[in-house]
Amino acid sequence: MDRIKIFDTTLRDGEQSPGCSMNLQEKIEVARCLERMKVDVIEAGFARSSPGDFESVSTIAKTVRDCTVASLARANTGDIDAAWDAVKCAADPRIHLFIATSPVHMEYKLKMTPEQVLEKTAAMVAYARKYCSNIEFSCEDATRSDWAFMAKVVETAIQNGATVINLPDTVGYTTPDEMRALIEYMISNVPGSDKVEYSVHCHNDLGMAVANSLAGVMGGARQIECTVNGLGERAGNTSLEEVVMAMRTRSGFFPNQPRLDTTQIYRASKTVYSIIGQTPPLNKPIVGRNAFLHESGIHQHGVLNNRLTYEILTPESVGIQVSNIVLGKHSGKHAFEDRLVHLGYQLSQEEILRCFEEFKDLCDKKKDVTDADIEAIVTHHSVRQEEAIDGYALDWFSVHTSNFTTATCTVSLKKGDEKFETVCLGDGPIDAAFKAIDQIVKPRNHAFENFTIHSISEGKDTLGDVIVKLSCNGRYYTGKGLSTDILEASITAYINAINKLCADAEQNQGKEVQ
């Protein structure tokens, strides 16, 4: 009963942060990563916020079997009804409802008195309880609330059927000592606290989210709410990989360990970064490029003698595999499949075959194919599938450019059985190609937020990983392209982003339910 539970809100709090939106297929991919990692609860979204969110929460609830699936709901019947309709097919459905309890939120946002908040809490928790027994209740802005009043709210929630009580540091305001004291106060002063689990949800505005979450555990909390890579509103949330590895590394200090399979952390992190079109900072703890590198001579000498001198955890413990095996054009499907398993991927035979075909194509362009190349192929595989089924895909392109003439690009796209071809001039080959795509697809007006090119591995024949991020009407669309030809990677990344923009326009996923 004292095991620490991991509540992951990457698909709700993480996904709603600017520039981090995901489509349905991408959310399902993240949910499967979370299930493999054995998180306890997946908060799949805010079902009432939009038709797209409702669909994604519902689909994830039907897909995931080894985790609780939750949907967020405000303290009103419409939100609760939508949340239940979305999660009712889950193996273990949870409704997560919240109401603000701080003076500033009650006065200026809710425009409610403390007495009205108490009444609303009682009514809405009881209303949610009629649907299911797994009810989480959150006191929004708990760390700026009056503790005595909040204790009354929590007691009311428990009396009406709440089974998990979450005390969020909504604006990242508190300190570790205060968070520990808050949890201890509630457990000591609220009747029925022995019948519920206390949870912490900390934001990172002052850089203390992980420390505050661990302090909450020391105070008696048994659930930590976090996100992969620390995504979330403003400066983000508690980072799943950091808080879990802190507990795992200091197991003597935190004896109540989560059930998480930490060897799946690196894969989940890479998947999320790839989907939102970002890369981890070099010094990002646990998953950053420099997390296990040593440049100082003193450090190198110590590590060569004994890794424990400067490494308190191993790359393998979070799923970073080091291999001396090099795959190439003469490698067979069995060796390729074995490498996928070693890297932590569990693909169907159909997916393995398709990825193997792309691997063999790459072998014709590169002498040696690294683990990073293989991971990139698998990560981008879903992008190609999505284009082939739902949107435009690149058929062929041809460019003419120099430093003394205007660049020209001819592009041929295919969609289903149809093909479309046009030619455009531009300031450079990429500009000309993007203009040609726009002429064919005719997307809504949009702005370029980001265009980046990363090398997957070393050498001049490396794969180029291109990320294009577009914005339109306050929403963001990330496209990815992968090729040893930077122009081809750029074109496929732009097509991928445009496909998402057009699909969103058709489905009206961004329209909020009033």
Side-chain angles (χ1 to χ4, degrees):
M1 292 296 293
D2 278 343
R3 176 173 63 82
I4 304 301
K5 293 183 178 178
I6 300 300
F7 176 112
D8 184 276
T9 185
T10 304
L11 295 172
R12 200 276 301 170
D13 201 330
E15 194 263 347
Q16 72 187 32
S17 57
C20 297
S21 59
M22 308 176 196
N23 62 28
L24 177 59
Q25 183 177 350
E26 291 166 338
K27 288 181 180 180
I28 293 172
E29 187 177 353
V30 172
R32 285 173 173 157
C33 283
L34 297 173
E35 186 177 25
R36 278 192 296 268
M37 198 160 39
K38 296 187 181 300
V39 303
D40 296 280
V41 185
I42 297 175
E43 187 167 50
F46 185 1
R48 186 95 192 283
S49 65
S50 72
D53 250 30
F54 182 91
E55 182 186 8
S56 63
V57 174
S58 178
T59 304
I60 290 167
K62 295 170 184 174
T63 303
V64 170
R65 298 289 91 186
D66 193 33
C67 308
T68 297
V69 176
S71 175
L72 188 68
R74 292 165 296 192
N76 64 63
T77 57
D79 275 26
I80 294 169
D81 291 341
W84 173 248
D85 285 342
V87 301
K88 62 185 178 183
C89 292
D92 181 23
R94 174 182 293 187
I95 296 174
H96 178 195
L97 67 133
F98 71 96
I99 194 168
T101 54
S102 67
V104 66
H105 274 239
M106 289 189 292
E107 180 178 355
Y108 293 102
K109 190 183 79 168
L110 298 180
K111 302 188 185 306
M112 294 171 66
T113 65
E115 291 72 24
Q116 289 173 320
V117 168
L118 279 168
E119 291 172 5
K120 179 71 76 171
T121 297
M124 291 302 100
V125 173
Y127 185 82
R129 182 68 187 223
K130 75 175 186 178
Y131 283 127
C132 67
S133 60
N134 193 343
I135 304 296
E136 177 168 343
F137 177 80
S138 289
C139 299
E140 186 183 8
D141 205 20
T143 55
R144 293 193 297 172
S145 300
D146 176 79
W147 289 13
F149 167 70
M150 191 162 58
K152 294 179 183 178
V153 175
V154 170
E155 182 180 358
T156 300
I158 294 173
Q159 288 174 344
N160 285 276
T163 52
V164 179
I165 300 296
N166 181 39
L167 303 178
D169 185 22
T170 304
V171 292
Y173 177 76
T174 198
T175 63
D177 284 349
E178 290 173 311
M179 179 56 83
R180 178 173 182 171
L182 173 59
I183 299 294
E184 290 174 339
Y185 175 88
M186 290 296 163
I187 292 174
S188 299
N189 290 276
V190 175
S193 287
D194 58 323
K195 297 179 177 63
V196 299
E197 293 176 340
Y198 277 87
S199 177
V200 286
H201 177 120
C202 299
H203 279 258
N204 204 38
D205 297 73
L206 298 178
M208 292 189 286
V210 170
N212 287 334
S213 295
L214 293 173
V217 168
M218 293 170 65
R222 287 299 174 261
Q223 178 178 278
I224 297 175
E225 306 196 2
C226 49
T227 61
V228 176
N229 302 327
L231 295 183
E233 293 279 3
R234 304 180 311 280
N237 289 276
T238 298
S239 166
L240 179 149
E241 58 277 7
E242 293 176 27
V243 76
V244 167
M245 291 312 295
M247 286 190 288
R248 190 61 53 88
T249 304
R250 300 300 306 275
S251 58
F253 204 68
F254 297 99
N256 304 314
Q257 290 287 304
R259 70 167 186 166
L260 211 81
D261 179 0
T262 63
T263 63
Q264 293 293 323
I265 284 177
Y266 185 64
R267 178 182 175 185
S269 172
K270 286 199 68 173
T271 298
V272 171
Y273 272 129
S274 176
I275 286 172
I276 65 173
Q278 295 181 15
T279 55
L282 291 177
N283 62 339
K284 173 74 169 70
I286 314 302
V287 296
R289 186 173 180 179
N290 289 354
F292 297 99
L293 296 182
H294 306 275
E295 184 172 330
S296 163
I298 295 173
H299 285 216
Q300 290 173 343
H301 179 260
V303 169
L304 288 171
N305 287 320
N306 188 324
R307 290 173 70 172
L308 290 175
T309 54
Y310 288 101
E311 286 187 4
I312 57 173
L313 63 155
T314 66
E316 293 81 6
S317 66
V318 296
I320 301 175
Q321 302 294 336
V322 180
S323 172
N324 295 321
I325 298 175
V326 177
L327 299 181
K329 64 189 301 181
H330 299 296
S331 300
K333 176 175 170 290
H334 179 75
F336 178 75
E337 186 174 353
D338 183 69
R339 195 79 209 119
L340 286 177
V341 173
H342 185 71
L343 292 171
Y345 292 98
Q346 298 173 347
L347 307 181
S348 68
Q349 283 301 309
E350 183 182 4
E351 290 172 322
I352 291 171
L353 241 119
R354 289 176 180 171
C355 289
F356 181 65
E357 289 173 4
E358 294 178 23
F359 162 74
K360 295 299 279 188
D361 288 341
L362 180 60
C363 288
D364 290 332
K365 302 172 184 177
K366 286 192 67 178
K367 181 180 178 182
D368 297 324
V369 178
T370 66
D371 285 350
D373 293 324
I374 294 172
E375 289 177 336
I377 287 172
V378 175
T379 301
H380 285 71
H381 176 63
S382 60
V383 173
R384 294 188 179 92
Q385 282 185 305
E386 180 185 339
E387 287 169 351
I389 297 171
D390 300 321
Y392 291 89
L394 177 64
D395 185 23
W396 59 266
F397 73 96
S398 176
V399 297
H400 178 271
T401 186
S402 71
N403 63 350
F404 58 89
T405 60
T406 302
T408 306
C409 184
T410 305
V411 172
S412 175
L413 302 183
K414 55 187 178 182
K415 185 176 184 182
D417 296 328
E418 295 184 272
K419 289 189 177 182
F420 310 86
E421 184 179 317
T422 193
V423 59
C424 277
L425 303 177
D427 295 333
I430 291 177
D431 181 51
F434 287 5
K435 286 179 177 176
I437 294 167
D438 285 345
Q439 274 198 16
I440 294 172
V441 180
K442 296 180 175 57
R444 291 180 296 173
N445 289 333
H446 56 273
F448 277 85
E449 296 294 328
N450 197 16
F451 177 87
T452 57
I453 302 173
H454 304 280
S455 61
I456 294 297
S457 56
E458 298 176 351
K460 62 182 181 180
D461 61 350
T462 182
L463 280 169
D465 183 11
V466 175
I467 296 169
V468 172
K469 185 170 287 189
L470 310 177
S471 65
C472 180
N473 296 332
R475 289 180 63 82
Y476 295 84
Y477 308 90
T478 299
K480 296 163 285 182
L482 184 73
S483 176
T484 53
D485 183 330
I486 296 302
L487 278 172
E488 181 181 9
S490 301
I491 291 170
T492 54
Y494 186 58
I495 293 170
N496 183 227
I498 288 294
N499 279 334
K500 292 177 182 178
L501 188 153
C502 293
D504 193 44
E506 291 174 5
Q507 299 173 15
N508 199 24
Q509 290 181 343
K511 182 180 179 182
E512 290 194 357
V513 176
Q514 298 300 318

